[in-house]
Amino acid sequence: MHFKNQTGENDMQGLESITACCNAHACPILPAELLSKHTTFRIGGACQAMVQIANREGLQAILQCCQEQHLPWVVLGNGSNILAADEGYHGIVLQLGRAFSNVRQLDETTLFCEAGATLSAVGKIALEACLTGMECLAGIPGTIGGAVYMNAGAYGGEMKDVVRSVEYLDETGAFRTATPEELQFSYRHSMFSGTKKIVTGVTLQLQAGKYADIREEMQKLKNQRVAKQPLELPSAGSTFKRPVGSYASFLIDQCGLKGASVGDAQVSVKHAGFVVNTGHATCRDVLELCDFVIETVKEKTGYCLELEPVILK
């Protein structure tokens, strides 16, 4: 569901209706909330309002209210794969966070995770239950819902390897369940990509393992991340998708672009696949730098790089 922006009096009426709906369903609302406070890039202006979804009924009611008031909306998880515009977002940002972060074990090898649960939290619970399969995903700084949306992956594993089913809210406001066959997983893509369907819960199929082995693998991958990735600086993770036949970081490094910068946006000197915020980078800085990287790599290698983060504007 996409809606045209409203201005002036209609804006105020729409926000008043959303506020009343939020109050009725115990969902906190933050008017004019800065997106820079909710994205790992630490970039982005204010949204019209941010709603912290507290329950399934509240989610349904608030979406219906947005539709009735012709207010655009978007769902935000941990903000780890988002580049928000300097001008902000003229609409309602729905955050599935702490209230949507429960994880429970269904049987010996299956976990049900609400969409707001972080991958790190799910990884810890899997470890404690001696379940293997989450080791390569647990270090990704996102939520389980966001990870399903983009079929997140790292170190040879992807969400598609462990997802048994996904609960979601469709465009009509009805809760549905999708099987692995219906999820259409591919590289950084799922059936949810580019749609207004909202992931609300994920059932993971893991395997029994040994606590010591799982912990050792998680620590090994954590050490690799710390050693190779610029985790000390704000970013949106890997900035470019992997092109067929090569790796973005290799191509960027090959073109001598490590350290290239626009304002406070910089191609990391530690890992060329990351664009980082070294201070007060703007969205405009990041996009200008990414355009320069894409043009240079295309000119020198023939490869066409694509941005991985979602641009929120």
Side-chain angles (χ1 to χ4, degrees):
M1 292 176 282
H2 297 274
F3 307 106
K4 295 181 179 179
N5 292 345
Q6 305 294 305
T7 56
E9 185 177 345
N10 288 345
D11 252 0
M12 293 300 296
Q13 291 175 350
L15 190 54
E16 288 174 0
S17 296
I18 291 292
T19 301
C21 186
C22 289
N23 291 338
H25 291 86
C27 295
I29 182 168
L30 307 172
E33 182 73 356
L34 286 173
L35 293 172
S36 58
K37 295 165 59 177
H38 300 275
T39 60
T40 58
F41 233 141
R42 298 293 179 259
I43 290 174
C47 58
Q48 190 172 357
M50 177 173 287
V51 177
Q52 297 172 334
I53 302 298
N55 48 67
R56 289 158 54 99
E57 295 74 19
L59 176 60
Q60 286 177 304
I62 290 163
L63 285 177
Q64 182 177 350
C65 188
C66 284
Q67 183 175 13
E68 292 170 352
Q69 297 299 321
H70 306 291
L71 289 170
W73 57 270
V74 67
V75 174
L76 183 69
N78 200 45
S80 59
N81 195 47
I82 297 290
L83 177 57
D86 302 319
E87 300 79 15
Y89 176 71
H90 193 83
I92 308 301
V93 174
L94 308 177
Q95 191 173 52
L96 275 62
R98 188 172 302 174
F100 260 82
S101 61
N102 294 318
V103 179
R104 64 179 185 271
Q105 191 166 354
L106 300 180
D107 57 37
E108 290 184 353
T109 57
T110 308
L111 297 179
F112 177 78
C113 316
E114 290 185 315
T118 63
L119 289 167
S120 60
V122 175
K124 289 178 183 177
I125 291 171
L127 170 63
E128 293 301 323
C130 297
L131 295 177
T132 183
M134 281 297 297
E135 292 89 331
C136 61
L137 299 164
I140 298 173
T143 61
I144 199 86
V148 166
Y149 181 92
M150 64 172 292
N151 187 28
Y155 297 106
E158 296 177 300
M159 285 301 299
K160 69 178 181 64
D161 301 328
V162 294
V163 171
R164 189 164 99 179
S165 64
V166 175
E167 177 194 85
Y168 68 98
L169 195 67
D170 71 11
E171 292 90 342
T172 71
F175 282 101
R176 302 190 183 282
T177 300
T179 64
E181 294 74 25
E182 294 169 325
L183 288 166
Q184 302 171 27
F185 281 132
S186 60
Y187 177 69
R188 300 298 177 266
H189 175 87
S190 75
M191 65 174 277
F192 304 104
S193 302
T195 75
K196 283 293 187 177
K197 299 179 177 71
I198 301 175
V199 176
T200 55
V202 182
T203 299
L204 301 178
Q205 182 63 64
L206 305 176
Q207 298 177 7
K210 295 181 179 180
Y211 181 92
D213 293 341
I214 298 168
R215 183 177 181 182
E216 181 181 359
E217 181 68 10
M218 285 185 171
Q219 189 61 49
K220 183 186 78 172
L221 295 178
K222 179 181 178 180
N223 292 342
Q224 288 184 32
R225 284 187 170 94
V226 170
K228 297 180 180 180
Q229 298 178 8
L231 304 181
E232 68 279 4
L233 291 172
S235 76
S238 296
T239 308
F240 302 96
K241 295 179 181 179
R242 184 180 69 235
V244 177
S246 189
Y247 293 91
S249 58
F250 171 78
L251 296 170
I252 295 167
D253 194 8
Q254 187 181 41
C255 292
L257 293 174
K258 271 189 176 180
S261 63
V262 173
D264 281 344
Q266 180 191 70
V267 176
S268 170
V269 296
K270 192 174 184 179
H271 190 306
F274 286 65
V275 169
V276 296
N277 179 357
T278 62
H280 301 284
T282 64
C283 179
R284 186 170 299 168
D285 291 338
V286 173
L287 291 178
E288 186 176 335
L289 177 58
C290 289
D291 284 345
F292 173 69
V293 169
I294 291 170
E295 291 171 6
T296 303
V297 169
K298 172 65 175 175
E299 179 183 340
K300 292 188 175 183
T301 72
Y303 281 93
C304 297
L305 297 182
E306 295 181 48
L307 285 179
E308 185 166 309
V310 174
I311 310 300
L312 178 56
K313 58 183 179 178

